[in-house]
Amino acid sequence: MRRSIATVSLSGTLRQKLEAVAAAGFDGVELFEPDFTHFPGMAAALGRMAADLGLTIDLFQPFRDFEAMPPGLFARSLDRAERKFDLMQAMGAPLMLCCSNTSPLSVDEPDLAAEQLHALAERAARRGLRVGFEALAWGRHTSRYGQAWDIVRRADHPALGLILDSFHTLSLQDDPAGIAEIPGDKIFFLQMADAPLLSMDVLQWARHHRVFPGQGDFDVVGFYEQVLLAGYSGPLSLEIFNDMFRETPNRRTAVDAMRSLQYLESQVRPRLAARAAAARPDPRAAAVLAVRELAEPPAAPEFAGVAFIEFAADEATAPQLDAQLHQLGFRRAGRHRSKAATLYRQGDIALIVNAEPASFARSRFELHGPSVCALGLRTAQPQAAQDRAIALRSQRHRSPLGPGELEVPAIVSPGGNLMHFVDERLGPDGLFAADFLPEVDDAAPVDAGLRRVDHVALGLSLEQYDTWTLFTRAVLGLSLAESLELADPFGLVRSRAAADRTRSVRLVLNASLSSRTLTARTVGRRGDGGVHHIAFASDDIFASVAQLRAQGVDFLPISPNYYDDLPTRFDIEPALLARMREAGVLFDRSADGDFLHIYTRAADEGLFFEVVQRIDFYDGYGAANSPARMAAQAQA
Ligand code: MG
Ligand code: MG
């Protein structure tokens, strides 16, 4: 499988882009011509630089506004093409992308378009080059792949083929099912892009909001399947125009890019296998599986809850955190055998406060109060979970082990925190029994009825949001809810939840579109961001809140106006409303059930906690109350 990426998809100078792409394991690039126009060397030097990095230049793009033009303009365009062919030969690029004409001077005559493209292909062929024709979604007369294919077929030249781009087809909601009927050898190149579903001008959508497969909402797997069934055997490439990717460090983007292609391949494989094994087997699917090396990472793990959350602390912050956790009803339950780490328990929840200098250094930011440095997820397949992550470009992490301590497979998650995969068969206490010496906590508080970790919310920089979307979906196999935009008094916060099938692991990704929100300010202090709040589940939130208040927990005050407004939005029993008002508990309702929740006040705008109670099958996170929370935080 040859994998390629357009140079427009990454930040940096052209050399830096090629270095990042090569380091991520790509085979080639699509050269976006403006990158070359500003390159300080000649075309041949670029070709040598790419070759030296182990990369081929698979495609030269874009060649615009060519076909179906009046004769005078056509002659000028042929001259223009010859200059581009000179460059392509010098840099070693075998294929030119010619995108459908957007010029108001072009005419709606497919036969003329075919005739002129034939002439272009003939010029290319004389130099051993080829031309691919791509329908732009906003092309003047050719906007769909079916129209482009019709013109290519009429042109009937061996050096002219079709270029497919998932964005143009899926953004127009065109049916990709016809792609499989196109002869595979007439498809010269395949560009994949995903995108969020947006209601906006398609050109603006295409130029600013494309994302890697797995980061958006398009059925990119279904599209790719059709291209493979056609018998296409060229590179699988990415062409992503995205404002954020233009800023993101390009090594990170290149890793996401490779992960997205491997994920795409791994998702299409079972679909092809099902076609090949159907009662009436599809021989095309069997042929693809026989010849194409599609990525096949180990299956995504099944999770069984959050095993532990680990905080990084130092000598100053560890006692503060100890006091805070005691207030929240956690008791000290163990001391690590070989590290300066303390275990806290309540219900099924395990929190570890790690005061090792190494863990503190790993958190990489100056601590303003506690910060989470690692997350342990319980699964029956810890090794497969780690193997899958590594196959999808995550880094393995090995912690130093003392005698008798268990090795827990771990990886580095985006942004640098650790993620451990804890063997479910160890039971709720097995890991801690091995690694911690039991401790009797003389200052143990009364249990506040916090039972489980309900969700862990991350505050991320905007550039990490898409990275985490792909990481949770591809590496962890979580499914993603719709991306929402929530109103903080100082700007919008984008938010998206990722959860496993049984809802035992729930992560909420948040990124601020404004630099002035609380989310943005906390992310700014922590580099790429990190855990923003942790929600614990209670089976009786009112009893938990009463106990926690008695232990001195400071909850975020909610405006009385919120409680006056609630009964205008929901049909709520007056007694329940009065209890919520008195306790400061927030309320949400969906078709599946009700949600009660409350937030602690964060010290120094740092990490805060949430207590939640899900009633029936409520599956959300109280997003409707986020403005209430963020306004209260701003006013607190
Ligand atoms: Mg394209
Ligand atoms: Mg929450």
Side-chain angles (χ1 to χ4, degrees):
M1 169 65 62
R2 287 188 58 78
R3 301 190 185 103
S4 185
I5 183 170
T7 54
V8 73
S9 316
L10 305 103
S11 69
T13 65
L14 185 51
R15 171 179 273 282
Q16 290 165 345
K17 291 178 188 212
L18 296 186
E19 286 171 349
V21 164
F26 281 87
D27 303 293
V29 293
E30 301 177 32
L31 182 73
F32 184 60
E33 193 188 1
D35 278 324
F36 173 72
T37 310
H38 311 302
F39 179 67
M42 306 284 280
L46 173 63
R48 284 195 301 274
M49 188 173 92
D52 184 44
L53 289 164
L55 295 169
T56 51
I57 300 175
D58 298 327
L59 181 81
F60 180 93
Q61 65 127 316
F63 189 64
R64 297 187 192 279
D65 295 338
F66 174 78
E67 87 285 3
M69 281 297 222
L73 289 171
F74 168 60
R76 287 232 302 272
S77 285
L78 275 183
D79 290 342
R80 182 161 59 96
E82 293 286 2
R83 301 289 74 76
K84 305 304 174 191
F85 292 153
D86 292 341
L87 295 178
M88 289 169 63
Q89 284 188 300
M91 68 179 68
L95 177 63
M96 172 195 267
L97 179 150
C98 175
C99 52
S100 62
N101 205 326
T102 61
S103 167
L105 302 173
S106 65
V107 294
D108 186 12
E109 289 179 29
D111 278 325
L112 179 64
E115 184 189 315
Q116 294 181 345
L117 283 166
H118 183 104
L120 181 66
E122 185 57 32
R123 300 279 189 107
R126 282 182 209 155
R127 297 170 182 245
L129 302 173
R130 302 200 299 170
V131 175
F133 185 48
E134 176 194 34
L136 293 181
W138 54 93
R140 191 100 188 160
H141 304 294
T142 302
S143 58
R144 293 168 188 263
Y145 74 86
Q147 296 172 297
W149 167 233
D150 178 55
I151 290 169
V152 166
R153 200 172 38 187
R154 290 181 200 216
D156 190 25
H157 194 290
L160 182 72
L162 187 66
I163 289 183
L164 293 170
D165 181 328
S166 61
F167 181 86
H168 298 302
T169 298
L170 300 176
S171 63
L172 295 182
Q173 296 179 15
D174 191 10
D175 185 359
I179 293 173
E181 310 308 320
I182 298 169
D185 61 357
K186 290 305 283 183
I187 301 172
F188 280 6
F189 206 76
L190 170 62
Q191 299 174 316
M192 295 298 306
D194 200 343
L197 291 179
L198 299 171
S199 179
M200 68 188 299
D201 171 66
V202 69
L203 175 61
Q204 295 303 319
W205 191 11
R207 291 271 169 84
H208 302 283
H209 300 283
R210 296 193 201 200
V211 286
F212 293 129
Q215 291 180 332
D217 302 318
F218 284 174
D219 180 15
V220 285
V221 178
F223 182 92
Y224 184 40
E225 181 182 19
Q226 292 299 316
V227 180
L228 288 175
L229 288 173
Y232 171 70
S233 60
L236 172 61
S237 191
L238 293 160
E239 187 199 35
I240 314 293
F241 295 81
N242 180 294
D243 297 349
M244 196 48 59
F245 294 1
R246 292 176 188 273
E247 303 176 13
T248 306
N250 58 28
R251 296 275 169 156
R252 154 60 57 206
T253 308
V255 168
D256 282 347
M258 179 54 74
R259 174 175 291 160
S260 78
L261 290 185
Q262 292 173 311
Y263 176 65
L264 179 66
E265 292 166 27
S266 72
Q267 293 295 106
V268 81
R269 168 183 277 282
R271 294 208 199 186
L272 292 168
R275 282 177 182 269
R280 284 172 54 198
D282 183 341
R284 300 171 306 174
V288 173
L289 290 170
V291 300
R292 302 236 55 173
E293 289 175 33
L294 299 167
E296 195 176 14
E302 292 274 338
F303 290 111
V306 174
F308 66 86
I309 298 173
E310 183 175 330
F311 298 85
D314 62 5
E315 282 168 15
T317 52
Q320 290 169 16
L321 194 48
D322 180 81
Q324 194 177 8
L325 296 179
H326 271 138
Q327 274 191 334
L328 287 166
F330 289 89
R331 64 178 197 286
R332 277 196 299 270
R335 185 155 289 284
H336 198 276
R337 289 174 189 276
S338 64
K339 296 178 193 138
T342 307
L343 171 69
Y344 294 81
R345 299 300 303 263
Q346 182 175 189
D348 292 337
I349 309 162
L351 305 178
I352 296 168
V353 176
N354 189 337
E356 285 283 303
S359 93
F360 186 66
R362 198 171 61 226
S363 68
R364 290 183 304 123
F365 21 78
E366 290 167 34
L367 292 181
H368 296 257
S371 99
V372 171
C373 63
L375 211 54
L377 303 181
R378 205 175 277 131
T379 171
Q381 305 102 18
Q383 192 54 56
Q386 187 196 42
D387 291 345
R388 176 180 178 85
I390 291 166
L392 292 170
R393 304 277 151 167
S394 289
Q395 290 298 314
R396 182 194 317 271
H397 177 83
R398 278 207 180 86
S399 302
L401 279 188
E405 293 170 16
L406 290 175
E407 171 145 21
V408 177
I411 58 162
V412 180
S413 60
N417 282 348
L418 300 183
M419 192 163 277
H420 299 265
F421 301 112
V422 179
D423 197 331
E424 187 187 347
R425 289 161 294 189
L426 291 169
D429 302 314
L431 173 65
F432 310 119
D435 288 7
F436 287 82
L437 297 166
E439 184 179 340
V440 177
D441 186 351
D442 297 330
V446 178
D447 184 300
L450 307 184
R451 292 284 153 259
R452 305 168 290 288
V453 173
D454 182 87
H455 61 273
V456 176
L458 306 174
L460 304 168
S461 62
L462 258 187
E463 59 184 52
Q464 285 272 336
Y465 190 75
D466 290 321
T467 292
W468 268 90
T469 295
L470 183 63
F471 175 78
T472 51
R473 185 182 263 161
V475 174
L476 302 180
L478 305 183
S479 54
L480 287 154
E482 184 188 2
S483 192
L484 306 171
E485 284 182 0
L486 312 172
D488 178 284
F490 298 104
L492 292 177
V493 173
R494 192 168 284 164
S495 181
R496 181 167 220 182
D500 69 326
R501 193 175 53 79
T502 62
R503 302 296 190 258
S504 74
V505 171
R506 294 172 179 269
L507 302 176
V508 182
L509 317 180
N510 296 296
S512 178
L513 304 177
S514 147
S515 60
R516 296 182 59 212
T517 64
L518 175 67
T519 304
R521 292 199 301 276
T522 53
V523 169
R525 292 197 313 211
R526 295 173 181 201
D528 287 331
V531 171
H532 168 273
H533 70 267
I534 299 169
F536 300 118
S538 164
D539 298 330
D540 181 350
I541 193 169
F542 295 108
S544 291
V545 169
Q547 181 59 42
L548 292 168
R549 282 198 194 278
Q551 282 164 195
V553 173
D554 189 13
F555 287 105
L556 203 58
I558 299 301
S559 166
N561 303 336
Y562 171 85
Y563 296 99
D564 292 341
D565 181 54
L566 260 192
T568 70
R569 293 160 53 212
F570 302 106
D571 186 14
I572 305 177
E573 255 189 77
L576 175 61
L577 182 64
R579 287 188 90 184
M580 291 194 294
R581 187 191 290 269
E582 196 205 328
V585 164
L586 298 160
F587 179 84
D588 190 30
R589 176 174 287 164
S590 74
D592 307 312
D594 289 357
F595 189 57
L596 301 169
H597 61 143
I598 189 168
Y599 299 94
T600 67
R601 203 200 289 251
D604 193 23
E605 298 193 338
L607 180 77
F608 57 96
F609 298 93
E610 182 181 5
V611 179
V612 312
Q613 184 178 357
R614 294 178 185 274
I615 297 167
D616 297 330
F617 299 98
Y618 181 90
D619 196 29
Y621 302 83
N625 292 321
S626 293
R629 190 253 299 164
M630 294 189 284
Q633 285 172 325
Q635 291 166 127

